[in-house]
Amino acid sequence: MLPKKAFKTGSTAPDPPAPGVLRLISSRFCPYAHRTRLVLAAKGIDYETVNVCLYKKPEWFFSINPLAKVPTLQHDGKVVYESLVCNEYLDRVFPGRKLLPEEPLEKARIGMLQAVWDAKCQPNLMKVSMSEGEERQKVFDALKEGLSFLEKHLATQSGKSFFGGDQPGILDYSIWPWFELIDLLLTDDDVKLQEVEFPELLAWRAAMFDRPEVQTCAFDMSVFAKYVATMRAGNPDPDIGLEDSN
Amino acid sequence: MLPKKAFKTGSTAPDPPAPGVLRLISSRFCPYAHRTRLVLAAKGIDYETVNVCLYKKPEWFFSINPLAKVPTLQHDGKVVYESLVCNEYLDRVFPGRKLLPEEPLEKARIGMLQAVWDAKCQPNLMKVSMSEGEERQKVFDALKEGLSFLEKHLATQSGKSFFGGDQPGILDYSIWPWFELIDLLLTDDDVKLQEVEFPELLAWRAAMFDRPEVQTCAFDMSVFAKYVATMRAGNPDPDIGLEDSN
């Protein structure tokens, strides 16, 4: 039985996964690892989890992934890392619902939306929670500019709730971890996403919350908030909320 | 005939490309646009070029690409942007030599090498040229750590000169623009890549220089150096080296 607690600097590496077993090297509160957990759940793929501490990385992790970042997959001697690379790999090698379109322009469109998210939305979403006053308002406006692009895209997909169409696809899962955390990131009334400005995006968020794969993987918000408190105190605890026995 | 000079803020948008014509919205000195020029040349795809000024972006560019970044492709009403997205799109929709492997693990491997390049090599390569003394040595060591990973990868491909195998593939083209500029970026003897440390990578660089598609697209180094001088003087001139009549 693998421990839930994070492997840290100085730890002994766990044995490699047994033949045929897919292992996710993860971190409980990492939104990038969350992307891959969502895809694993959406496709109904069995896997085991090894958690690592991202603040005190185990030495052995660097010999598996030179960037020592999560998510990293191990499977029968093969290693795959980088969240979007992992997700495309999983989608292509495992059976089940296809999450990434095959048609080249459709696939390019997902890449372009992802690029807008990466450039305009994600960094500003993080910055809103760390800035104040006028600066915060400026960052929030920049965030909304990026989100408007996603809003417009959803509006062109008449009657389809998700970026993937009738069901979530690879982009829905790749941006979801930050949307799931949005109430932690946008805490005050002056930096809320308003229904009148983002009707499509807020309907998408509600529809995502209803999905079983999203519920299965959901961050426990009360535990997440405690984790953020340890982070802000300069001593992030990746094991917070776990029983001693784990 | 489209002008070679860059469209700037306040310019009138050029007419859209004629039916069937592929247009690259580019910038002469941008390494990201260079990635896509290399793929266009490698696959023998005909296209026309519209240059834009990245320091004084034309307003009309934002209505084509919300990020207003190059490269951007226009083709029969379709728009594709982000260099790696453009390159995969071109590889998939145009005939000719395939640049991206279809096999999922091989494709993932390209994505992982790209991630190491993005995280460890490219930023440090740029930083070396902007830092001094001890700081520069530290950055150079970090750069070499990333490059060692590429070096090792080439060494595992017995007898194959390129990341793409016997011929360059999508990764070769995506990292080449910075390698082409390496003598501008690593100007002093104490920050040179030594043959003894990087035999595979330096052999790869020599083999890349010999490729016709690389020669066709090559930056004119004397002009590029003049461009860098205008940049350093705080007044980047995207049209430097062009005749007045263009």
Side-chain angles (χ1 to χ4, degrees):
Chain A
M1 181 70 181
L2 289 162
K4 281 192 182 171
K5 285 193 174 170
F7 285 81
K8 298 186 179 67
T9 307
S11 61
T12 304
D15 288 334
V21 171
L22 176 69
R23 174 178 293 171
L24 173 69
I25 304 181
S26 184
S27 192
R28 292 167 64 226
F29 303 109
C30 171
Y32 296 95
H34 202 69
R35 284 177 164 173
T36 296
R37 283 195 294 267
L38 287 160
V39 164
L40 288 160
K43 293 187 71 94
I45 301 169
D46 283 331
Y47 67 102
E48 64 178 25
T49 300
V50 162
N51 286 311
V52 292
C53 176
L54 299 176
Y55 300 91
K56 294 173 181 170
K57 291 183 178 182
E59 295 82 355
W60 55 260
F61 192 21
F62 289 87
S63 65
I64 296 172
N65 173 351
L67 301 174
K69 282 161 68 178
V70 299
T72 294
L73 299 169
Q74 289 182 292
H75 196 207
D76 288 331
K78 300 185 284 280
V79 172
V80 179
Y81 49 84
E82 285 298 296
S83 58
L84 301 182
V85 174
C86 290
N87 286 359
E88 180 166 350
Y89 174 80
L90 291 171
D91 192 39
R92 294 183 71 206
V93 300
F94 283 88
R97 191 162 71 79
K98 284 288 157 205
L99 305 180
L100 197 58
E102 272 301 315
E103 199 282 313
L105 187 65
E106 284 305 307
K107 186 160 191 277
R109 192 161 288 142
I110 297 297
M112 291 185 269
L113 287 163
Q114 181 71 51
V116 173
W117 171 262
D118 289 346
K120 298 273 186 190
C121 303
Q122 190 179 310
N124 287 320
L125 198 45
M126 300 310 287
K127 273 186 214 158
V128 167
S129 69
M130 294 182 293
S131 54
E132 286 179 356
E134 247 180 69
E135 171 63 18
R136 188 172 69 162
Q137 207 54 49
K138 220 171 101 183
V139 171
F140 186 56
D141 288 344
L143 166 66
K144 287 200 293 182
E145 197 190 310
L147 293 178
S148 295
F149 189 72
L150 299 181
E151 173 76 17
K152 272 183 217 147
H153 186 83
L154 282 174
T156 61
Q157 302 193 144
S158 49
K160 298 190 169 172
S161 306
F162 303 100
F163 292 98
D166 291 326
Q167 294 191 75
I170 210 106
L171 182 75
D172 298 87
Y173 298 127
S174 95
I175 69 178
W176 177 252
W178 289 268
F179 269 96
E180 188 168 310
L181 297 175
I182 219 161
D183 291 337
L184 274 184
L185 296 167
L186 307 180
T187 41
D188 296 323
D189 280 346
D190 55 340
V191 290
K192 289 277 177 234
L193 301 182
Q194 301 295 337
E195 178 75 28
V196 62
E197 272 183 286
F198 298 102
E200 299 278 347
L201 216 43
L202 291 172
W204 167 81
R205 186 169 187 249
M208 283 293 283
F209 263 126
D210 280 345
R211 298 285 305 188
E213 68 274 29
V214 166
Q215 290 172 8
T216 302
C217 299
F219 290 120
D220 179 328
M221 280 307 150
S222 67
V223 176
F224 204 104
K226 281 185 200 164
Y227 170 69
V228 171
T230 68
M231 254 177 64
R232 290 198 170 135
N235 189 24
D237 180 359
D239 299 326
I240 203 151
L242 291 179
E243 297 298 322
D244 280 348
S245 57
N246 277 302
Chain B
M1 180 71 181
L2 289 161
K4 281 193 183 171
K5 286 194 173 169
F7 284 82
K8 298 185 179 67
T9 307
S11 61
T12 303
D15 288 334
V21 171
L22 176 69
R23 174 178 293 173
L24 173 69
I25 304 182
S26 184
S27 191
R28 291 167 64 227
F29 303 109
C30 171
Y32 296 94
H34 203 69
R35 285 176 164 174
T36 296
R37 284 195 293 268
L38 287 161
V39 164
L40 288 160
K43 293 187 71 95
I45 301 169
D46 283 332
Y47 66 103
E48 64 179 26
T49 301
V50 162
N51 286 312
V52 293
C53 177
L54 299 176
Y55 301 92
K56 293 173 183 169
K57 291 182 176 182
E59 293 82 355
W60 55 261
F61 192 22
F62 290 87
S63 66
I64 295 171
N65 173 351
L67 300 174
K69 281 162 68 176
V70 298
T72 294
L73 299 169
Q74 289 182 291
H75 196 208
D76 287 331
K78 298 184 285 281
V79 172
V80 179
Y81 50 84
E82 284 297 297
S83 58
L84 302 182
V85 175
C86 289
N87 286 358
E88 180 165 351
Y89 175 79
L90 291 170
D91 192 39
R92 294 183 73 206
V93 300
F94 283 88
R97 190 162 72 78
K98 283 288 157 203
L99 305 179
L100 196 57
E102 273 299 315
E103 199 282 313
L105 187 65
E106 284 305 307
K107 185 158 191 279
R109 193 161 286 142
I110 297 296
M112 290 185 269
L113 287 163
Q114 181 70 51
V116 172
W117 171 263
D118 290 346
K120 298 273 186 189
C121 303
Q122 190 179 310
N124 287 319
L125 198 46
M126 301 309 287
K127 273 185 215 160
V128 167
S129 69
M130 293 181 294
S131 53
E132 287 179 355
E134 247 180 69
E135 171 63 17
R136 189 172 67 162
Q137 207 54 49
K138 220 172 101 183
V139 171
F140 186 56
D141 288 343
L143 167 65
K144 287 200 294 182
E145 196 191 311
L147 293 178
S148 294
F149 188 72
L150 299 182
E151 173 75 19
K152 272 183 217 147
H153 186 85
L154 282 173
T156 62
Q157 302 194 143
S158 49
K160 298 191 169 172
S161 305
F162 303 100
F163 293 99
D166 291 327
Q167 295 191 75
I170 211 108
L171 182 75
D172 299 87
Y173 298 126
S174 96
I175 69 177
W176 178 251
W178 289 269
F179 269 96
E180 188 168 309
L181 297 176
I182 218 162
D183 292 337
L184 274 184
L185 296 166
L186 307 180
T187 40
D188 296 322
D189 280 345
D190 56 340
V191 289
K192 288 278 178 234
L193 301 182
Q194 302 296 336
E195 178 75 28
V196 62
E197 273 183 285
F198 298 102
E200 300 278 347
L201 215 44
L202 291 171
W204 168 81
R205 186 169 187 249
M208 283 294 282
F209 263 126
D210 280 346
R211 297 285 306 188
E213 68 274 29
V214 165
Q215 291 171 9
T216 303
C217 298
F219 290 120
D220 179 328
M221 280 304 151
S222 67
V223 178
F224 203 104
K226 280 185 203 164
Y227 170 70
V228 171
T230 67
M231 253 176 66
R232 289 198 170 135
N235 190 22
D237 179 0
D239 299 327
I240 203 150
L242 291 179
E243 297 299 322
D244 279 350
S245 57
N246 277 302

